Amino acid sequence: MDLNQQVIVVTGGSGFLGQSFIKSIATHNGIAIIADVDDYTGQQTKEKLKTETGLDQIYFQHIDINEKSSICQLVSQLIKQFGRIDALVNNAYFRNERFWDHFFDVQLEDFNENLTMNLGGYFLCSQQFAEYFKKQGYGNIINVSSIYGVIPPKFEIYKGTSRTTPVVYASFKSALLHLSKYMAKYLKGLNIRVNSISPGGVYNNESETFVQNYKKQCATKGMLDQEDLQGALLFLLSDHSKFINGQNIVVDDGFIL
Ligand SMILES: NC(=O)c1ccc[n+]([C@@H]2O[C@H](COP(=O)([O-])OP(=O)(O)OC[C@H]3O[C@@H](n4cnc5c(N)ncnc54)[C@H](O)[C@@H]3O)[C@@H](O)[C@H]2O)c1
């Protein structure tokens, strides 16, 4: 899959999945922009991935997906630097300190903050990039949702652990899938497509109990590795998916079935 020097912005690009998306983009001949609110980790990630890949086309730019001025500044900077922006991957993920509360403990202020900072940010970022894509004559937006945007949580997999799927997570990830379809339809005729990827759980040092519970729900592998999402991402970024619009690709080893 050749991304032909496309300029691709990944919000939350220095996070766990963001880093692997950036790496995939750069190693498939894309220009990968780590866009993150955390400047220190962003710079560190850029240097680390440049060393790991031996590639120069990895950049860091500050963005706060909840600040219009910050998004506009990033867009202007990239146009100045590259003359175009080909795609936006909405991948950033905010959690406040009460994010993981169980249903009956959730306070409305925390629900609202986590909802706004994520869903509001995905909307604002998409709106501002779409404004630019409209002028440019083309664009591509990929929203990173989740299996828990598609189905309600399988609470049984948390048995014997303190974890849960927060109600606000299910709320903003399901809303993001609908937002994707809304935008795909609203932007019809502007040569801007909008699709989603809904990953299953990606292994990141979860407890053995959780990993085993999770695996029982899957077809073969269970929890995924970061690289397992690469195919869907590259496909949606490439011309192979030129006429795919308003769709959601679930990558989950059959978890939702
Ligand atoms: N990790 C998984 O197993 C998994 C599974 C399904 C879906 N997802 C989705 O993948 C995405 C990435 O998840 P992750 O596990 O890599 O998360 P992560 O916490 O490792 O990374 C999130 C990144 O977003 C950045 N961020 C937070 N607020 C921001 C803001 N306002 N503006 C810009 N950047 C901001 C953080 O600095 C961080 O680098 C999320 O949307 C998540 O819902 C993850």
Side-chain angles (χ1 to χ4, degrees):
M1 201 84 79
D2 187 344
L3 294 177
N4 288 317
Q5 292 287 296
Q6 285 187 60
V7 177
I8 299 160
V9 176
V10 180
T11 69
S14 45
F16 175 62
L17 288 188
Q19 291 197 20
S20 72
F21 290 160
I22 291 288
K23 206 168 168 178
S24 299
I25 291 165
T27 52
H28 289 81
N29 195 27
I31 296 174
I33 316 294
I34 300 166
D36 207 290
V37 73
D38 181 341
D39 293 341
Y40 178 75
T41 315
Q43 292 290 358
Q44 299 271 98
T45 303
K46 178 186 82 172
E47 294 310 327
K48 184 184 85 162
L49 296 181
K50 279 172 95 162
T51 308
E52 275 177 32
T53 59
L55 294 166
D56 264 342
Q57 49 201 43
I58 299 175
Y59 300 84
F60 169 72
Q61 288 287 336
H62 177 85
I63 194 176
D64 182 340
I65 62 164
N66 292 102
E67 288 288 338
K68 188 172 166 182
S69 58
S70 157
I71 303 167
C72 294
Q73 210 176 330
L74 171 121
V75 169
S76 312
Q77 174 58 38
L78 293 178
I79 298 164
K80 207 158 42 158
Q81 196 170 351
F82 301 106
R84 67 187 186 288
I85 304 170
D86 296 281
L88 164 71
V89 182
N90 269 316
N91 165 77
Y93 182 18
F94 168 87
R95 283 90 107 199
N96 78 7
E97 66 283 358
R98 302 291 304 264
F99 180 80
W100 295 103
D101 281 358
H102 285 235
F103 183 79
F104 286 115
D105 301 324
V106 175
Q107 301 297 310
L108 183 61
E109 308 81 85
D110 294 311
F111 183 93
N112 286 344
E113 185 182 16
N114 287 307
L115 183 76
T116 305
M117 295 294 280
N118 287 289
L119 187 59
Y122 303 144
F123 157 70
L124 187 63
C125 224
S126 304
Q127 182 201 46
Q128 295 306 306
F129 273 73
E131 192 80 66
Y132 167 70
F133 288 154
K134 197 164 63 158
K135 288 186 215 131
Q136 179 174 252
Y138 68 90
N140 187 2
I141 299 175
I142 298 170
N143 290 317
V144 182
S145 180
S146 162
I147 42 174
Y148 286 150
V150 182
I151 57 159
K154 297 196 183 191
F155 290 109
E156 60 271 32
I157 66 172
Y158 302 108
K159 236 177 166 176
T161 80
S162 58
R163 292 171 60 107
T164 188
T165 293
V167 61
V168 73
Y169 187 75
S171 304
F172 67 72
K173 287 295 170 184
S174 56
L176 180 58
L177 291 178
H178 203 79
L179 179 65
S180 298
K181 287 191 201 160
Y182 180 107
M183 292 191 296
K185 195 155 180 179
Y186 194 85
L187 301 171
K188 235 169 146 178
L190 295 175
N191 203 18
I192 303 169
R193 56 202 185 93
V194 187
N195 291 291
S196 312
I197 299 175
S198 291
V202 182
Y203 179 71
N204 191 10
N205 297 313
E206 282 77 11
S207 71
E208 192 50 31
T209 309
F210 180 77
V211 170
Q212 287 312 322
N213 290 350
Y214 190 98
K215 190 169 180 179
K216 284 186 201 136
Q217 304 288 335
C218 296
T220 50
K221 174 170 177 161
M223 295 199 80
L224 305 172
D225 293 310
Q226 291 154 301
E227 297 71 33
D228 295 329
L229 302 174
Q230 175 171 288
L233 178 77
L234 294 174
F235 173 65
L236 288 177
L237 286 171
S238 77
D239 273 356
H240 291 288
S241 59
K242 209 169 177 177
F243 300 110
I244 295 183
N245 200 0
Q247 302 303 309
N248 177 36
I249 302 183
V250 178
V251 185
D252 72 339
D253 189 27
F255 179 91
I256 68 166
L257 299 175

